[in-house]
Amino acid sequence: MKKLIIANWKMKLGFNESLVLAKKISNKLKSNKNNIVICPDYLSLVSIANILKNSKIVLGAQDSAIVDSGAYTGEVSPLNLKSIGVKYVILGHSERREHLHENSAIINDKIKAALKNKLIPVLCVGEKLIEREAGEAKLVISDQLRRGLNKVDLKNNNLVIAYEPIWAIGSGKAIAPLEAEEMHQFIKSQANKILKKIVPVLYGGSVDSKNISSFMSQKNIDGFLVGGASLKSDEFIKICLQ
Ligand code: 13P
């Protein structure tokens, strides 16, 4: 089955590096088995929209604002993102929750603003190691889902959830595939209760070309949100061609 594979370049590349990487990936990835999305930083978004114009790779953003326009210094409008060809937007990434103190109420507003503009939000959820060790992973994630998806209407819209255990991000220690499968099953059923719709759930956290096949075969893993391994063209292409 086709998987959704999203590259999250975070704030890891310079402007020119981003353009070079986008060109390499789009030149080498002519036929995709899976659905591929690239989320560069804001600075390179417009240039990369042009690079990807004639490819099958889809453009995503790493965040978007709670409103379409107004006096919101430094924010980027979901309406404007849509107008340059962005299709997906990552929201509620654990790095924003931690470093920028984003809470579920803000994330919920961002999801609604993105949906209003027909962007597909990729809501990130995940537990810290200390929460997992205390047996609270499911509790934490239920809470993130309940608050983040509060009054979200998906009648004419789509949304994706990304399960990213925080301890697995950038650590080289991905979750065990069977544990991921169990968490994904749980997240899907919780989200279904809230949204009255089955939504895809991606896995993120130290995914690479070596471990991806063990996740691919899990029934409830609908794709991947890839950080570090998406920054090297050959590595990312190997992942996309799985
Ligand atoms: P890594 O793949 O580098 O662990 O990052 C995962 C992530 O945070 C993607 O959003």
Side-chain angles (χ1 to χ4, degrees):
M1 225 185 54
K2 261 195 176 191
K3 305 272 184 185
L4 175 62
I5 300 178
I6 304 182
N8 176 10
W9 290 353
K10 307 191 180 184
M11 198 178 67
K12 299 255 182 156
L13 300 173
F15 176 71
N16 286 326
E17 284 174 313
S18 295
L19 270 48
V20 168
L21 183 58
K23 278 182 199 151
K24 273 192 191 159
I25 294 172
S26 73
N27 285 340
K28 289 188 196 165
L29 209 59
K30 290 292 180 210
S31 61
N32 313 339
K33 238 171 83 183
N34 297 301
N35 296 318
I36 312 300
V37 181
I38 291 181
C39 302
D41 68 357
Y42 279 141
L43 216 52
S44 55
L45 210 48
V46 176
S47 307
I48 292 184
N50 283 323
I51 293 170
L52 299 182
K53 215 166 35 201
N54 298 318
S55 81
K56 286 195 179 138
I57 302 169
V58 169
L59 192 63
Q62 295 178 19
D63 188 37
S64 65
I66 59 171
V67 289
D68 288 356
S69 73
Y72 289 81
T73 302
E75 288 296 277
V76 175
S77 149
L79 174 70
N80 293 346
L81 289 173
K82 181 75 183 176
S83 77
I84 62 149
V86 168
K87 297 240 162 29
Y88 289 81
V89 58
I90 299 171
L91 294 172
H93 194 284
S94 59
E95 289 152 8
R96 295 194 62 85
R97 291 181 196 254
E98 187 188 343
H99 304 308
L100 299 153
H101 310 291
E102 246 181 40
N103 61 29
S104 287
I106 294 174
I107 294 161
N108 181 252
D109 285 344
K110 288 183 172 183
I111 290 174
K112 287 173 181 159
L115 289 172
K116 187 173 142 235
N117 288 291
K118 298 280 168 212
L119 292 168
I120 302 175
V122 181
L123 168 64
C124 300
V125 297
E127 79 285 0
K128 297 181 182 135
L129 185 59
I130 187 168
E131 293 162 338
R132 185 171 192 83
E133 286 173 348
E136 289 169 357
K138 288 184 178 166
L139 205 68
V140 168
I141 288 162
S142 299
D143 188 63
Q144 290 170 346
L145 291 171
R146 192 170 46 80
R147 291 174 196 267
L149 297 174
N150 183 34
K151 299 200 175 122
V152 165
D153 179 5
L154 283 193
K155 238 177 273 137
N156 302 308
N157 288 312
N158 292 315
L159 179 140
V160 174
I161 294 170
Y163 170 53
E164 298 204 305
I166 296 170
W167 48 272
I169 295 177
S171 65
K173 290 184 200 133
I175 193 171
L178 284 179
E179 267 182 85
E181 171 66 13
E182 191 202 325
M183 292 303 286
H184 279 236
Q185 223 171 337
F186 171 76
I187 290 167
K188 230 176 246 191
S189 84
Q190 291 294 109
N192 186 24
K193 276 187 205 151
I194 302 166
L195 297 166
K196 314 284 176 249
K197 190 170 181 174
I198 303 272
V199 295
V201 183
L202 316 182
Y203 170 71
S206 296
V207 170
D208 60 29
S209 64
K210 291 190 186 74
N211 63 20
I212 192 159
S213 62
S214 59
F215 290 109
M216 279 274 181
S217 50
Q218 304 300 329
K219 206 172 104 230
N220 286 291
I221 300 186
D222 303 302
F224 303 92
L225 183 52
V226 188
S230 72
L231 299 171
K232 294 168 233 140
S233 61
D234 289 344
E235 175 71 359
F236 186 59
I237 286 161
K238 272 190 209 159
I239 290 173
C240 295
L241 294 178
Q242 284 285 320

